[in-house]
Amino acid sequence: MERGKMAEAESLETAAEHERILREIESTDTACIGPTLRSVYDGEEHGRFMEKLETRIRNHDREIEKMCNFHYQGFVDSITELLKVRGEAQKLKNQVTDTNRKLQHEGKELVIAMEELKQCRLQQRNISATVDKLMLCLPVLEMYSKLRDQMKTKRHYPALKTLEHLEHTYLPQVSHYRFCKVMVDNIPKLREEIKDVSMSDLKDFLESIRKHSDKIGETAMKQVPGAQDLVDFSPVYRCLHIYSVLGARETFENYYRKQRRKQARLVLQPPSNMHETLDGYRKYFNQIVGFFVVEDHILHTTQGLVNRAYIDELWEMALSKTIAALRTHSSYCSDPNLVLDLKNLIVLFADTLQVYGFPVNQLFDMLLEIRDQYSETLLKKWAGIFRNILDSDNYSPIPVTSEEVYKKVVGQFPFQDIELEKQSFPKKFPFSEFVPKVYNQIKEFIYACLKFSEDLHLSSTEVDDMIRKSTNLLLTRTLSNSLQNVIKRKNIGLTELVQIIINTTHLEKSCKYLEEFITNITNVLPETVHTTKLYGTTTFKDARHAAEEEIYTNLNQKIDQFLQLADYDWMTGDLGNKASDYLVDLIAFLRSTFAVFTHLPGKVAQTACMSACKHLATSLMQLLLEAEVRQLTLGALQQFNLDVRECEQFARSGPVPGFQEDTLQLAFIDLRQLLDLFIQWDWSTYLADYGQPNCKYLRVNPVTALTLLEKMKDTSRKNNMFAQFRKNERDKQKLIDTVAKQLRGLISSHHS
């Protein structure tokens, strides 16, 4: 029973579901009915559903039939009305057709006119569109034309700006036109053309400033500011802007710096003959200054094309190469005037570059090196000046005949002599012409040294030290050598030597005035710490001593020349009564010579006189004892004694004042005692007193006595005068042998 209830319940649910589906089919669009029907077929009661669907269709058919039956009469009436309307419609159609035919006939011209109007309207629209498009294209064409004009007139930077506007502003508005595409394709070529043309202008600019660097530098060294105005820098600026806009600034900077480095190396390479003229140095400096004036201007007028590090690097290279070139070429220069002009040029060069901010201390340090070279060239020049002065001097006291001449000489050389001032004209200065000339040339040398020190930014002490050191070199080396060369000349005479001694004495006294002269021009007192002293005193003393020695040597040579004229007959038996002629002439020469020594310092004259007498005595002794004289007679010894007496008489006469008593005679004491011993034949006294401090023949050497005795022993054997007195001869010979034996004993005991 329960099963029956359940079946009944299920049947009711199925019936309700079928009803719902039917309603849904009736109310749903046929395009969406698929899912509804699918739900029926998915179920198990589709047979029953089909039955219900058939039932529902029959019901709807019955309702449709009922409705059609209800409206049938109205349908018939409507058909009747439509038939009537068809007839009227045919009539209307005929009327419309007729009207249309008439209208077509009448409106044919209007149609033609309308067609023409239509064409005009179309043309008008086309023209308007064309004008609009042309208005868009015209600015592009104008800009392109402007671009070509700017490039033609080499206005490259404006041309680049125009190109930028054309590319980014104008061409995008008309990019669909073919000519615009051609322009767009041509833009990279135009950019390259602008780059190439601007680079060409830059190359022309670089070549131009390379050629005109010396002119720029010359202007800068004359007036400093404004030299850069000689250069048109616009090609650099244009090219820099163009490359910057094109994004190639770094390429441009590298190219510019590379080219300028090459030009710097060319500028810094001096010509091989630069040292020959000042113009060679001037052109070299002008080019360097011109180069750095340009670079300095580029540094300050462009942002980063060159920087301070690049400029400093170039300057360091330039400084080292310039200094090396100057060291090399200045070393060839032997003209002090050219060296001085070069120094002034270097100072101007350094000062000019310093104005532009370049460090120039190394240049001034190098000038100190050139200063030493300048001193050397001055010394060489003054060596020639001194040589000419000394060669042309007459070595005679300067005669003065008037007060005017006297003041002129005193104005040239600091000399004061009250006694000379009191003398009436004419009178003579003690020194010769070379004294004031040499003194003034020393002052000229000091002036020349001072000229070099100007503008070197040195302190007064440094200038004073430089002048004093150079002057010392002049005195101790140059002047000293010149004086020594004159003194050592082969043909120089005693008169010249005497005058040189007098001259150097006065020049020595003038050294203090040279000290004052240097002090006045440098304003540095001599007593200042580290002040160099002048060595002139030493120079003139050395020259004077050399002259004195030369006088002594010269006198001795003259004595030797006279002695060469001696012609003794060592075998004579005659007793003479006067001195030999050669000796008389020699004494006369000595008297006249020593008379010239009036103005010499007393000690010099005395030393010369003593030296001459000693040399004469020594030479006479050598003459007496020389090996070639193997024999001599008493008569010859007597003649020799007369000559020695003549010498002693000369010594006693006081040829040079200042000797005490018989001091000068002592030069002949060896000869005197030897001759007295032999002439007086006083051997007993000699042998008895030998070795005693106060013996009569203290200066007689037994070797000398034996040598002379041997010469007389040989002659006594052959002397005819003794042949008449055989006994006396034998006694004499025996005595000589005895004395000789005793002398040998003395000599032997002395050596032991």
Side-chain angles (χ1 to χ4, degrees):
M1 187 170 179
E2 287 180 356
R3 187 179 298 174
K5 287 182 180 180
M6 290 177 66
E8 186 179 357
E10 289 177 359
S11 177
L12 289 174
E13 287 179 2
T14 302
E17 179 64 20
H18 288 169
E19 187 63 29
R20 185 188 65 75
I21 291 170
L22 287 173
R23 284 197 303 273
E24 190 171 336
I25 291 171
E26 289 174 348
S27 62
T28 303
D29 189 0
T30 55
C32 300
I33 202 169
T36 304
L37 292 176
R38 185 177 182 83
S39 65
V40 173
Y41 285 101
D42 289 339
E44 297 178 356
E45 299 295 331
H46 57 273
R48 292 179 62 183
F49 177 75
M50 291 303 295
E51 291 176 359
K52 282 192 176 244
L53 181 61
E54 289 294 333
T55 302
R56 181 65 61 89
I57 290 172
R58 284 193 299 271
N59 290 336
H60 280 296
D61 287 342
R62 283 194 298 273
E63 287 179 1
I64 290 170
E65 187 179 352
K66 285 179 182 181
M67 189 174 288
C68 288
N69 290 332
F70 179 76
H71 291 288
Y72 179 75
Q73 189 58 47
F75 177 71
V76 171
D77 293 339
S78 296
I79 293 300
T80 302
E81 288 294 324
L82 284 171
L83 290 173
K84 290 180 181 179
V85 169
R86 187 176 68 176
E88 292 297 323
Q90 186 63 42
K91 289 180 182 179
L92 180 61
K93 177 182 177 183
N94 293 334
Q95 289 177 354
V96 169
T97 302
D98 185 56
T99 301
N100 180 57
R101 184 174 64 254
K102 290 179 180 178
L103 181 62
Q104 290 293 334
H105 179 73
E106 295 295 330
K108 187 174 182 179
E109 293 182 0
L110 180 60
V111 169
I112 294 171
M114 289 300 294
E115 187 65 29
E116 291 177 353
L117 179 60
K118 177 183 175 183
Q119 292 296 327
C120 287
R121 293 284 187 186
L122 181 61
Q123 290 177 354
Q124 186 178 19
R125 283 198 301 273
N126 290 341
I127 290 171
S128 178
T130 301
V131 169
D132 291 341
K133 299 300 182 183
L134 284 175
M135 291 302 292
L136 285 175
C137 292
L138 276 176
V140 176
L141 296 173
E142 288 174 354
M143 289 296 286
Y144 192 79
S145 176
K146 180 181 178 182
L147 173 64
R148 300 308 299 182
D149 288 341
Q150 287 172 336
M151 293 186 67
K152 186 177 180 180
T153 56
K154 296 186 176 182
R155 298 167 59 210
H156 304 124
Y157 183 66
L160 190 62
K161 289 294 185 183
T162 302
L163 187 63
E164 294 294 317
H165 287 305
L166 184 65
E167 181 181 19
H168 299 295
T169 305
Y170 292 94
L171 285 177
Q173 298 176 9
V174 290
S175 58
H176 52 284
Y177 295 113
R178 281 186 299 170
F179 80 91
C180 292
K181 292 180 180 178
V182 173
M183 287 185 181
V184 170
D185 294 339
N186 203 32
I187 282 176
K189 297 178 182 178
L190 290 173
R191 280 202 178 94
E192 287 301 316
E193 183 180 349
I194 291 173
K195 280 179 67 176
D196 293 343
V197 173
S198 63
M199 182 55 72
S200 176
D201 289 347
L202 176 68
K203 290 177 179 177
D204 292 342
F205 167 81
L206 292 175
E207 180 63 19
S208 175
I209 59 172
R210 186 187 69 80
K211 291 180 179 178
H212 298 95
S213 283
D214 56 340
K215 184 65 177 177
I216 300 167
E218 181 183 2
T219 304
M221 290 176 72
K222 285 181 179 178
Q223 61 192 43
V224 181
Q228 63 275 3
D229 296 339
L230 297 174
V231 183
D232 178 15
F233 289 92
S234 57
V236 181
Y237 304 147
R238 284 197 301 266
C239 200
L240 175 62
H241 291 320
I242 288 169
Y243 271 72
S244 298
V245 170
L246 296 178
R249 180 187 177 102
E250 185 177 354
T251 302
F252 175 77
E253 289 178 358
N254 292 337
Y255 175 82
Y256 177 86
R257 294 183 184 185
K258 181 179 178 181
Q259 294 303 313
R260 288 298 276 164
R261 279 194 181 94
K262 288 181 179 178
Q263 290 188 348
R265 291 188 180 94
L266 289 175
V267 164
L268 294 170
Q269 185 64 37
S272 58
N273 62 342
M274 182 174 74
H275 58 277
E276 294 178 358
T277 63
L278 189 65
D279 287 338
Y281 290 105
R282 184 179 289 112
K283 185 174 182 181
Y284 180 64
F285 289 142
N286 286 345
Q287 288 179 338
I288 296 173
V289 171
F291 179 90
F292 283 100
V293 165
V294 169
E295 290 307 288
D296 180 76
H297 188 73
I298 291 292
L299 174 67
H300 290 93
T301 56
T302 61
Q303 296 180 346
L305 176 56
V306 297
N307 53 33
R308 176 52 64 183
Y310 160 81
I311 294 290
D312 290 344
E313 177 193 347
L314 276 183
W315 176 239
E316 283 299 319
M317 177 184 72
L319 202 57
S320 63
K321 288 185 176 292
T322 302
I323 290 174
L326 288 175
R327 281 195 180 118
T328 300
H329 285 269
S330 64
S331 64
Y332 298 138
C333 185
S334 58
D335 179 6
N337 292 327
L338 180 57
V339 178
L340 183 62
D341 291 339
L342 173 59
K343 164 256 167 180
N344 292 330
L345 199 58
I346 293 174
V347 169
L348 180 59
F349 171 69
D351 289 344
T352 301
L353 286 168
Q354 195 171 35
V355 169
Y356 287 93
F358 295 99
V360 294
N361 290 339
Q362 291 184 47
L363 285 173
F364 283 100
D365 292 340
M366 189 209 59
L367 278 174
L368 298 182
E369 297 177 24
I370 294 182
R371 176 192 66 186
D372 296 335
Q373 183 191 340
Y374 175 70
S375 295
E376 287 300 319
T377 58
L378 283 182
L379 292 173
K380 289 179 182 178
K381 178 181 178 180
W382 257 259
I385 292 173
F386 288 147
R387 184 170 57 251
N388 292 335
I389 291 174
L390 297 177
D391 289 346
S392 62
D393 195 62
N394 60 8
Y395 295 94
S396 299
I398 302 174
V400 285
T401 57
S402 65
E403 186 70 24
E404 182 181 357
V405 176
Y406 186 89
K407 288 182 178 179
K408 180 181 178 182
V409 174
V410 173
Q412 294 174 342
F413 181 75
F415 176 78
Q416 288 183 339
D417 188 332
I418 297 175
E419 293 299 324
L420 184 62
E421 289 177 5
K422 291 178 179 179
Q423 294 177 17
S424 59
F425 294 100
K427 51 188 174 182
K428 293 181 179 180
F429 285 99
F431 45 80
S432 68
E433 289 282 357
F434 95 58
V435 170
K437 287 181 179 178
V438 166
Y439 181 81
N440 281 291
Q441 283 302 323
I442 294 173
K443 291 172 66 176
E444 288 298 322
F445 178 87
I446 293 170
Y447 277 128
C449 292
L450 181 66
K451 285 181 182 178
F452 194 91
S453 66
E454 293 172 352
D455 303 319
L456 291 187
H457 312 302
L458 299 174
S459 66
S460 298
T461 305
E462 289 173 314
V463 173
D464 183 85
D465 186 66
M466 181 198 79
I467 291 175
R468 288 176 182 272
K469 286 180 178 178
S470 297
T471 306
N472 276 334
L473 283 175
L474 178 75
L475 295 173
T476 59
R477 193 172 78 187
T478 307
L479 181 55
S480 177
N481 289 341
S482 298
L483 289 170
Q484 294 290 342
N485 290 336
V486 171
I487 292 168
K488 299 297 182 183
R489 277 197 308 222
K490 290 183 179 180
N491 59 344
I492 192 163
L494 286 169
T495 305
E496 287 88 344
L497 290 169
V498 170
Q499 192 62 57
I500 288 173
I501 292 174
I502 295 169
N503 289 352
T504 52
T505 302
H506 287 284
L507 284 171
E508 180 184 344
K509 293 177 181 177
S510 71
C511 285
K512 65 178 182 180
Y513 298 102
L514 289 175
E515 290 269 10
E516 293 175 3
F517 176 72
I518 294 174
T519 299
N520 290 335
I521 63 176
T522 62
N523 295 319
V524 177
L525 297 177
E527 55 269 18
T528 305
V529 180
H530 304 310
T531 298
T532 304
K533 304 301 179 184
L534 288 185
Y535 302 143
T537 303
T538 305
T539 297
F540 298 124
K541 280 183 178 178
D542 291 345
R544 188 163 60 254
H545 291 157
E548 291 170 6
E549 291 297 327
E550 197 64 27
I551 285 177
Y552 307 151
T553 303
N554 195 302
L555 269 175
N556 292 345
Q557 289 173 350
K558 289 290 185 181
I559 291 171
D560 291 341
Q561 290 174 10
F562 278 102
L563 288 172
Q564 288 175 2
L565 301 175
D567 187 18
Y568 287 102
D569 181 4
W570 299 110
M571 300 302 294
T572 184
D574 299 330
L575 299 178
N577 57 7
K578 65 174 183 176
S580 302
D581 292 339
Y582 87 90
L583 192 70
V584 173
D585 294 339
L586 172 56
I587 297 300
F589 163 75
L590 291 176
R591 289 186 187 279
S592 63
T593 298
F594 291 134
V596 180
F597 288 14
T598 312
H599 296 290
L600 279 178
K603 186 178 179 181
V604 177
Q606 291 167 16
T607 304
C609 189
M610 178 59 78
S611 172
C613 289
K614 283 183 176 181
H615 181 72
L616 177 56
T618 302
S619 299
L620 287 172
M621 181 68 80
Q622 290 173 351
L623 191 62
L624 185 63
L625 299 176
E626 65 182 4
E628 293 180 2
V629 181
R630 300 190 178 191
Q631 301 172 7
L632 58 81
T633 63
L634 188 59
L637 210 55
Q638 289 284 3
Q639 180 60 49
F640 197 80
N641 184 50
L642 289 174
D643 291 345
V644 173
R645 287 188 182 281
E646 186 72 20
C647 294
E648 291 172 326
Q649 176 59 33
F650 167 74
R652 282 195 299 273
S653 66
V656 170
F659 284 110
Q660 295 180 357
E661 299 179 357
D662 296 333
T663 303
L664 195 56
Q665 284 180 259
L666 293 176
F668 301 98
I669 189 64
D670 290 2
L671 274 174
R672 172 48 47 215
Q673 290 186 7
L674 180 63
L675 291 172
D676 284 350
L677 174 60
F678 274 85
I679 292 171
Q680 296 175 16
W681 209 252
D682 195 10
W683 293 106
S684 58
T685 304
Y686 176 77
L687 294 170
D689 295 345
Y690 181 78
Q692 300 298 321
N694 55 354
C695 66
K696 182 178 180 181
Y697 302 105
L698 181 65
R699 307 291 298 181
V700 178
N701 188 302
V703 176
T704 304
L706 179 60
T707 302
L708 189 58
L709 188 63
E710 291 289 347
K711 294 177 185 289
M712 293 189 70
K713 181 173 66 173
D714 292 338
T715 58
S716 65
R717 290 174 179 169
K718 300 176 181 179
N719 198 311
N720 292 329
M721 182 177 67
F722 285 101
Q724 299 173 4
F725 308 99
R726 296 295 181 182
K727 185 177 183 298
N728 291 340
E729 178 187 345
R730 287 195 301 271
D731 293 342
K732 187 75 171 179
Q733 187 60 47
K734 185 178 179 180
L735 180 59
I736 290 174
D737 290 338
T738 303
V739 172
K741 184 178 179 180
Q742 290 176 322
L743 287 174
R744 289 189 188 96
L746 285 177
I747 294 169
S748 178
S749 63
H750 178 71
H751 283 299
S752 63

